[in-house]
Amino acid sequence: MKFGILILEGPYQHEASDSAYNFAKAVIEKGHEISRVFFYQDGVLNATKLMDVQRDDRHIQERWTDLSKEHGIEYIVCVAAAKRRGIVDEVLAENFKIGGLGMLTDLAIEADRLVTFRA
Amino acid sequence: MKFGILILEGPYQHEASDSAYNFAKAVIEKGHEISRVFFYQDGVLNATKLMDVQRDDRHIQERWTDLSKEHGIEYIVCVAAAKRRGIVDEVLAENFKIGGLGMLTDLAIEADRLVTFRA
Amino acid sequence: MLHMINKSPFESNSLEDCLRYASDGSPILLYEDGIYGALAGSALEARMKEIMANHDVYVLKADVALRGIEKLIDGVKEVDYSGFVGLVEENKAVSW
Amino acid sequence: MLHMINKSPFESNSLEDCLRYASDGSPILLYEDGIYGALAGSALEARMKEIMANHDVYVLKADVALRGIEKLIDGVKEVDYSGFVGLVEENKAVSW
Amino acid sequence: MNDEAAKLMVVFRTAPYGSIYSFEGLENVVMMAAYEQDLTVLFIDDGVLALKKGMDNAATGIKDFSPTFKALEPVYDVEKLYIDGDSLKARGLTLDDLIIQPEVIAADQVDKMMEEQRNTMIF
Amino acid sequence: MNDEAAKLMVVFRTAPYGSIYSFEGLENVVMMAAYEQDLTVLFIDDGVLALKKGMDNAATGIKDFSPTFKALEPVYDVEKLYIDGDSLKARGLTLDDLIIQPEVIAADQVDKMMEEQRNTMIF
């Protein structure tokens, strides 16, 4: 099955990104494909490489980057939502790409299941 | 009277920063002093100079910067909250300063009224 | 205390939670999505009228106008941002 | 449809809103702060039991453990993340 | 809309302005409309409040995005617009209070509508 | 605490983990405790859930911050800890279920407690 994941909230402020990450790992472990993770609204804030996290806590951006490196998952950060929140190419972490909102429509068409993580 | 303002949410995602801005302007117009605006939790995201906003919408960071320039209000962005969200000196807009969480305690002690804007 | 409520009472329990703690006579300010609590003719109107027997209920005009609301429950008092500051001059404030 | 609820029913109306639309027989997954709806002995237990007459109610184990909850309402089914994926394999899903 | 069109639905259930769900949900609908799929838009719960007539943003400076909701059908060709009648009524509103008049449906039709879609997003 | 100490209160009313209000509210309390003011901490509504015993973060990787709540009195000398009894009861919990045992108060004492403070922050 092809899964799509949509994340609407930023790191730390809400659990959405944590839940999405653990869900994504389980999707992969069950042998499914993740067509794309799409970061929209405050979700775009997960993509900054400037996050500097205390050692006793999880590093949300690095965790996402590592998951993509290991399994080749595509992460798209909505350009319109990113711009108004100050997420630009210069601060983008590895394996995140800025892309158009249309790539969310593409994902909704392509994925057998699109699962939203939100506030 | 001395006012303190505490902002707990980022720009655009919630109305908190808009309400705080309009409240701050009214406080000044009534002749009161604003001891400090403290940006905590996702509130730290108001401080990025990388925000790039469509012309038909308000630019939340520039509006705050202009208000500070005009009236000399101090803006402190909590260092601990900022670090985990990728807000560092390099992306800090004019008139925002990174500071310790203790400066919120100082504000709560000093201000006759501390008003919180939140989700 | 001035009790500040910014969430829609159709979606959030923050207004009802606040009322468990608010002393009779303490004013309530509805702002942001909180202003929907003052919608005339809504399913919450009867409850709001009960609340108004014990509390002065204010709505922030700017948020009412932004949302296109014209008809407010009788007795709800409108304040602009200057009036909002005035309420905070007269009362210590907490945001729920 | 799988209806996913992530907010505390003590604070948010999202579970009750969802139930106005959810067909009988559609499963409900409580995760994140939504798991507090499954607290045994709470003021919401009777209501949850009514809901469970028409819906299978699941809780995400990871979120239950994170919050230190041991006693769940009888009949609530626990799933791990793999079980969560399983529910989404079997059902289209929406997040309220 | 072509024969291979995917059935997609966007649901608005959050009040406008207090959070960005309504506004950025709308930007998403506008984008989806360009794809010529089989798109349905549904307003429920506090989501119906985004359609209230007479919004005036002068005192806040916050962008009034209701003109885009108004344009969904005439400009963006989104024809399948529905609204939950009970949600409107609970808020003391009727279709006459709204800038557009979606087709009124009953709450118990919603689950079936979602089930018919390839994917549904709630904002 | 000195004679000139300001009376300050922090109220926890949000569930832990789902949002950061509880965790960053706690970091704020730890900081305030270092200032030797007259500090009061109150748990109400879903805020009481942050004190539940037996939290286990192994399956999520999210930081378990309950040890810091436990340390408030012994380590950080925060002595004025209160909890709304009705909030606990509504959630099927008793003081025995919690990692600390704040003094139980009734809901109708809260407004007066807030009124006595120089400033109160709710998280």
Side-chain angles (χ1 to χ4, degrees), chain F residues 3 30 40 45 49 52 59 64 67 69-70 72-73 77 84 87-88 113 116 118 121 123:
Chain F
D3 288 348
V30 168
T40 299
D45 300 333
L49 298 165
K52 182 73 185 63
D64 169 12
F69 274 117
K70 199 163 180 176
L72 281 185
E73 187 161 4
D77 293 323
D84 170 49
S87 296
L88 260 184
M113 283 176 72
E116 288 166 358
R118 179 152 178 85
M121 293 177 234
F123 284 94

Side-chain angles (χ1 to χ4, degrees), chain B residues 1 3 14-20 22-24 26-27 29-30 32 112-119, chain C residues 4 6-7 31-33 60 63 66-67 81-93 95-96:
Chain B
M1 241 177 185
F3 279 72
H14 289 91
E15 199 178 345
S17 179
D18 293 289
S19 298
N22 287 311
F23 182 79
V27 166
E29 278 162 22
K30 293 197 84 175
H32 297 295
D112 299 300
R113 295 286 188 268
L114 177 61
V115 182
T116 303
F117 292 88
R118 56 174 292 162
Chain C
M4 294 166 53
N6 72 340
K7 291 177 212 73
Y31 69 115
E32 300 179 0
D33 289 343
L60 186 61
D63 281 321
L66 179 63
R67 290 161 176 80
Y81 270 102
S82 180
F84 179 2
V85 174
L87 287 168
V88 180
E89 290 166 0
E90 291 158 28
N91 306 274
K92 295 172 182 173
S95 306
W96 291 82

Side-chain angles (χ1 to χ4, degrees), chain A residues 8-9 40-41 84-85 102 104-106 108-112 114 118-119, chain E residues 6 8 14 20-21 23-24 27-28 31-32 35 37 118-119 121-123:
Chain A
L8 300 180
E9 292 288 341
Y40 193 37
Q41 299 187 183
R84 60 170 73 95
R85 290 169 178 85
L104 174 56
T105 305
D106 288 331
I109 295 168
E110 185 187 342
D112 298 300
L114 176 61
R118 55 172 294 160
Chain E
L8 301 173
T14 311
I20 205 157
Y21 277 76
F23 174 47
E24 290 190 333
E27 291 197 324
N28 179 44
M31 178 57 70
M32 293 178 89
Y35 274 68
Q37 304 294 311
R118 179 152 179 85
N119 280 301
M121 293 177 234
I122 304 182
F123 285 93

Side-chain angles (χ1 to χ4, degrees), chain B residues 6 8-9 40-41 80-81 84-85 101-114 116 118-119, chain F residues 6 8 13-14 20-29 31-32 35 37 63 118-123:
Chain B
L6 172 61
L8 300 180
E9 292 288 342
Y40 193 36
Q41 298 185 187
R84 64 170 68 97
R85 289 169 180 85
L101 188 46
M103 296 177 85
L104 174 56
T105 305
D106 288 332
L107 184 59
I109 294 169
E110 186 188 341
D112 299 300
R113 295 286 188 268
L114 177 61
T116 303
R118 56 174 292 162
Chain F
L8 300 172
R13 71 169 299 264
T14 311
I20 205 158
Y21 277 76
S22 184
F23 174 47
E24 291 191 332
L26 177 59
E27 291 198 323
N28 179 43
V29 167
M31 178 56 71
M32 292 178 90
Y35 275 67
Q37 303 294 311
K63 179 170 169 171
R118 179 152 178 85
N119 280 300
T120 299
M121 293 177 234
I122 303 181
F123 284 94

Side-chain angles (χ1 to χ4, degrees), chain C residues 16-74:
Chain C
E16 288 296 344
D17 286 345
C18 159
L19 288 164
R20 292 207 305 114
Y21 307 104
S23 301
D24 283 359
S26 58
I28 294 169
L29 173 69
L30 307 176
Y31 69 115
E32 300 179 0
D33 289 343
I35 68 103
Y36 291 118
L39 264 174
S42 88
L44 295 175
E45 177 161 356
R47 174 62 185 140
M48 283 303 297
K49 285 186 168 164
E50 282 176 21
I51 294 166
M52 290 165 65
N54 295 317
H55 301 273
D56 283 335
V57 174
Y58 297 86
V59 291
L60 186 61
K61 264 187 197 175
D63 281 321
V64 169
L66 179 63
R67 290 161 176 80
I69 304 304
E70 300 107 18
K71 286 173 283 178
L72 299 174
I73 294 170
D74 280 347

Side-chain angles (χ1 to χ4, degrees), chain E residues 55-88:
Chain E
M55 292 180 177
D56 174 1
N57 65 352
T60 62
I62 296 176
K63 179 169 169 171
D64 170 13
F65 49 94
S66 62
T68 308
F69 274 117
K70 198 163 179 173
L72 280 184
E73 186 159 6
V75 179
Y76 300 107
D77 293 323
V78 180
E79 288 170 1
K80 296 185 174 180
L81 295 161
Y82 300 95
I83 192 165
D84 170 49
D86 291 341
S87 296
L88 260 185

Side-chain angles (χ1 to χ4, degrees), chain A residues 8-54:
Chain A
L8 300 180
E9 292 288 341
Y12 304 105
Q13 189 84 356
H14 290 91
E15 198 177 345
S17 179
D18 294 288
S19 299
Y21 171 80
N22 287 311
F23 182 79
K25 276 204 310 184
V27 167
I28 294 163
E29 277 161 24
K30 294 198 82 173
H32 298 295
E33 180 187 331
I34 297 180
S35 304
R36 175 177 295 154
V37 182
F38 194 87
F39 296 85
Y40 193 37
Q41 299 187 183
D42 263 7
V44 302
L45 299 165
N46 288 286
T48 175
K49 67 179 175 196
L50 301 178
M51 259 181 233
D52 178 4
V53 185
Q54 286 170 301

